[in-house]
């Protein structure tokens, strides 16, 4: 009976030890699962942080890229506007130059016409004056011839008497 009691006690001790072992094993498994859950949660948080950082970086890059594009477009527009303004300025100056040249040419023509008119007037005046002088000389000549003819007649008349 003692052996049985000892066996039973040994059996109980074994059972107790097995229960303790099982309990310890379950605790360890629970601790391991808790630890794994904690590690997974931390990894998840790190992943989310990294993703948030990446998202923010991408958004900043997008904004930066948009700003660069906007700046480039603005610069291009400014260059185009400057080029157009210069072209219009050059065109306006060219038109002014053409207008000034035309005005100079008009004035020169006007001056030439005036001088031609003046020359024509002077030539006409000189012709008239020459004609008048010629006419006077002719009259004087005719008068002299007449007088000479009278004198000769008078002389002849006196000679005959």
């Amino acid at each position: 009976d003692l052996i049985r009691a000892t066996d039973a006690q040994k059996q109980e001790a074994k059972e107790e030890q097995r229960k303790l072992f099982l309990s310890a094993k379950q605790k360890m498994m629970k601790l391991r699962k808790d630890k794994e859950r904690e590690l997974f949660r931390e990894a998840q948080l790190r992943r989310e942080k990294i993703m948030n950082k990446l998202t923010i970086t991408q958004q900043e890059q997008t904004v930066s890229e948009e700003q660069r594009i906007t700046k480039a477009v603005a610069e291009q527009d400014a260059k185009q506007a400057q080029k157009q303004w210069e072209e219009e300025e050059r065109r306006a100056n060219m038109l002014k130059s053409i207008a000034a040249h035309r005005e100079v040419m008009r004035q020169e023509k006007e001056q030439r016409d005036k001088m031609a008119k003046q020359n024509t007037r002077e030539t006409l005046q000189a012709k008239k004056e020459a004609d008048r002088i010629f006419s006077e000389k002719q009259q004087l000549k005719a008068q002299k011839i007449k007088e000479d003819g009278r004198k000769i007649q008078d002389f002849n008349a006196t000679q005959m008497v």
Side-chain angles (χ1 to χ4, degrees):
D1 224 15
L2 185 66
I3 293 177
R4 232 190 245 151
T6 314
D7 271 349
Q9 208 177 10
K10 274 184 181 177
Q11 199 62 33
E12 267 183 43
K14 262 187 179 177
E15 188 60 30
E16 190 64 34
Q17 203 155 11
R18 191 183 66 78
K19 282 181 181 174
L20 277 172
F21 178 74
L22 261 176
S23 174
K25 192 174 182 183
Q26 283 176 346
K27 273 186 183 172
M28 280 180 69
M29 282 176 70
K30 186 178 181 281
L31 281 172
R32 187 182 294 150
K33 275 186 181 177
D34 288 349
K35 183 71 174 167
E36 281 176 1
R37 251 189 247 117
E38 182 61 27
L39 287 172
F40 180 77
R41 195 178 64 75
E42 286 176 2
Q44 193 71 22
L45 283 173
R46 275 197 305 274
R47 199 173 300 117
E48 284 176 13
K49 256 187 178 176
I50 289 169
M51 287 303 289
N52 286 342
K53 235 181 187 176
L54 268 173
T55 304
I56 289 171
T57 303
Q58 283 177 337
Q59 286 173 345
E60 286 173 350
Q61 284 176 344
T62 302
V63 167
S64 177
E65 185 67 23
E66 286 173 357
Q67 286 174 341
R68 272 201 304 278
I69 289 170
T70 303
K71 185 179 176 188
V73 167
E75 285 176 359
Q76 188 66 29
D77 288 349
K79 278 183 187 175
Q80 187 63 33
Q82 177 70 21
K83 194 175 180 182
Q84 191 174 353
W85 181 83
E86 286 172 358
E87 182 65 25
E88 286 173 7
E89 192 69 19
R90 188 183 63 75
R91 206 154 165 237
N93 286 337
M94 189 171 67
L95 290 173
K96 276 184 196 172
S97 175
I98 289 170
H101 177 72
R102 283 183 181 159
E103 181 60 22
V104 165
M105 295 304 286
R106 187 192 64 75
Q107 286 176 355
E108 284 178 0
K109 185 181 182 315
E110 196 176 286
Q111 192 63 33
R112 281 194 305 272
D113 290 350
K114 219 184 225 180
M115 287 175 72
K117 239 183 199 177
Q118 182 67 28
N119 284 342
T120 304
R121 215 178 292 123
E122 286 175 0
T123 305
L124 188 63
Q125 192 66 32
K127 245 185 197 171
K128 280 183 182 176
E129 186 62 24
D131 286 351
R132 188 188 61 76
I133 291 171
F134 179 75
S135 183
E136 265 182 33
K137 282 184 177 177
Q138 287 298 94
Q139 281 180 349
L140 286 173
K141 211 185 226 181
Q143 198 175 348
K144 189 169 189 235
I145 289 172
K146 226 183 197 180
E147 281 177 18
D148 285 350
R150 239 187 258 133
K151 280 182 184 174
I152 289 175
Q153 271 183 352
D154 287 345
F155 179 74
N156 281 341
T158 53
Q159 285 289 323
M160 289 187 100
V161 175

